[in-house]
Amino acid sequence: MSAPPVSTRRVMGRADAASAALRAAERLDLVQAPFTLPRSRILVLRDGDRLRVHTSEYERSLAACVAIDALEVRDADGMPMPITRVLPHTIEFGDDVTLTFAGTSALSLGVRSGGRASILWSAPAGARTEELRIGDADPASVTFAVGPRRDVAVSRSVDHAEQLEASRQVWLDWFARCPVVRADLQGMAAFCWWVLGANIVELPHLGDARAVVPSKIGYVGLWQWDAYFIAVGLRHGDPELAREQLDLALRFPTAEGQLPDVVHEHGVLASSDDLPASDRETLRRAGSAVADPSAPVPLTKPPLAAWALRKVLEADDDAPPDWVRRMVGTIRRSQDWWFTHSDLDGDGLPEYGHPYSSGLDDSPVFDGPLPTTTPDLAAYLVRQDLELAALVEQWDLEPVPDASRAAAVSAHRERASRTLERLLTLWDAPSGRFRSLAAGCPVASDTIVGLMPLLTGELPVEIADALVAALDDPRRFATTWPIPTVAVGDPDHAPQRMWRGPVWVNTNALIVEGLERSGHRDRARRLAQRTVELVVHAGGPHEHFDPGTGRRAASATTAFGWSAALFIDLAVALSHDD
């Protein structure tokens, strides 16, 4: 199940890019998948045969970001024209009219030579309604430029054909990088590659930085954990963009080495002090019972940076050594932060001081008092020290004597061993599961965090076998579509509620790797296969899925970044195995 080495990495190339674009277009419904352009903050969604234009902004809902409330195309007789086709670069109305992008901050609506149409558009709350005619004696197209405050400037244009071709080339360039996978997965792989391109936004305060956000609907920022998973998928077609995601996630450590939860268009979110004042007290009240209640609450994400870096480097011959040195140095300081600043009860095993830092903040594991000791965090810390040892050993990272490098490698491996010993104290043999501790007291919940120790690859055989048995137990994790984030026999199991029962592609992908590392390669492949089948069955890379029906959970975001990226990663690995 490991990904192919760089020498066998295959992408579409321009000859097949148009076919990939057409396969992706089959799922561009303007409801679950908006019309957009890489780097643009404009989203176009449909309301029947009318369109609504939104901007994509950090911490603002779509309803709060309406630029054009209604955009309707009418034929020469004044009758509404239906939307007949959506392609990555254009929306077609009938046979004559097309909508495309004019750069990243404007839309162009035009009619083909000899045609006529009218456009009726309105600003939010009826602030402005206007009818525009195109064709015949009128210019053949109209441009709608959307400003940073959702203001709209309308102008006549004769450049529609050039803009249509420019948008087409942007998408063809993107699809030319789409990884080649086996035939039955090509359609969904093309759509997932579209999702990753569609979710690229610019972060102007960071120059020309490109962040691949979880979604332009609702998640317009670079969350640390998402960046790792997204980079793992991007590496198969665009290693440079994959590196850029890691660079952004690791660019703003605190003086103590803590990495921020989010890098967004206004700055970073690294603690409660970075939140609006109205949110700070609520967050602090939910913080650790043993931490200083007057101090800021650190907000981060689980330590998987070295795991992601190693995977990106596997597929990237061009990574600059200085960049790798900087990444490894930042990750090493971050790893130290967990042991120095997040071991809140001083027992040698770091805890989550707030649910936000776990990535699984709605899990019943966090229903009790904090800090929470969990087997997943311990497993990630073991994995990260082992990855760091390998990176320090493999790369000549510092101009120091070999003996010093050897000492650094040894220190990482020794800490991994100590952390593993502490992790094993959470094993409860009678129940066959790893327990979490809420402020030192055992947590009864049976959740997916108890399966993550497989990722260490270092568990005693009998414990690894017991976790595999849990995956095959219908009273626990053997659902129709695995793996539920809370066991079906747990009273807190809720198949539609965030981290309390639905299936998530990222946790599945981590357990796929854990099974392989723990000597269960065939079982890993079966889970990988079932995970890609889930995404195909559900019609797209949604945020999370119902483990019984295999459909998108009602509250789940669609066209979700890490689900798309990890589908690509799993599909490439499965295709390579074949």
Side-chain angles (χ1 to χ4, degrees), residues 185-236:
L185 300 177
Q186 285 177 3
M188 186 55 70
F191 180 57
C192 287
W193 196 248
W194 174 87
V195 168
L196 294 174
N199 286 349
I200 298 173
V201 302
E202 293 181 342
L203 298 176
H205 71 295
L206 299 178
D208 59 354
R210 300 171 297 169
V212 183
V213 301
S215 170
K216 282 182 178 175
I217 302 174
Y219 291 99
V220 190
L222 185 131
W223 273 258
Q224 184 195 143
W225 220 24
D226 298 70
Y228 301 153
F229 296 127
I230 288 170
V232 165
L234 284 172
R235 67 184 174 135
H236 298 294

Side-chain angles (χ1 to χ4, degrees), residues 237-251:
D238 196 336
E240 181 180 355
L241 186 57
R243 271 190 271 125
E244 191 166 350
Q245 306 317 294
L246 299 185
D247 188 82
L248 287 169
L250 274 61
R251 191 179 294 187

Side-chain angles (χ1 to χ4, degrees), residues 9-77:
R9 178 162 54 84
R10 296 176 59 216
V11 295
M12 289 284 179
R14 293 195 62 82
D16 298 316
S19 295
L22 288 175
R23 285 194 292 269
E26 294 173 5
R27 294 174 172 82
L28 299 184
D29 60 2
L30 304 183
V31 177
Q32 297 187 87
F35 182 63
T36 189
L37 190 74
R39 306 178 80 117
S40 177
R41 292 299 189 97
I42 295 175
L43 301 176
V44 181
L45 297 166
R46 73 186 300 162
D47 180 8
D49 282 320
R50 298 192 304 174
L51 300 175
R52 181 175 288 114
V53 179
H54 302 260
T55 55
S56 183
E57 303 175 34
Y58 178 65
E59 291 294 286
R60 285 185 178 271
S61 68
L62 278 182
C65 296
V66 179
I68 298 177
D69 188 58
L71 181 65
E72 182 178 66
V73 179
R74 297 179 178 181
D75 63 19
D77 297 323

Side-chain angles (χ1 to χ4, degrees), residues 491-560:
D492 288 314
H493 176 78
Q496 292 274 326
R497 186 178 168 190
M498 286 293 283
W499 294 105
R500 302 178 83 92
V503 180
W504 292 70
V505 176
N506 69 320
T507 48
N508 274 22
L510 289 172
I511 292 172
V512 166
E513 180 165 332
L515 288 166
E516 187 169 10
R517 287 188 175 279
S518 298
H520 294 270
R521 181 177 175 79
D522 289 345
R523 191 67 182 77
R525 195 183 193 284
R526 293 204 307 274
L527 178 57
Q529 177 64 33
R530 196 59 172 158
T531 302
V532 297
E533 288 172 355
L534 170 64
V535 176
V536 173
H537 171 79
H542 308 306
E543 185 180 15
H544 47 88
F545 308 78
D546 187 301
T549 67
R551 298 297 181 185
R552 177 176 72 93
S555 63
T557 296
T558 60
F560 195 69

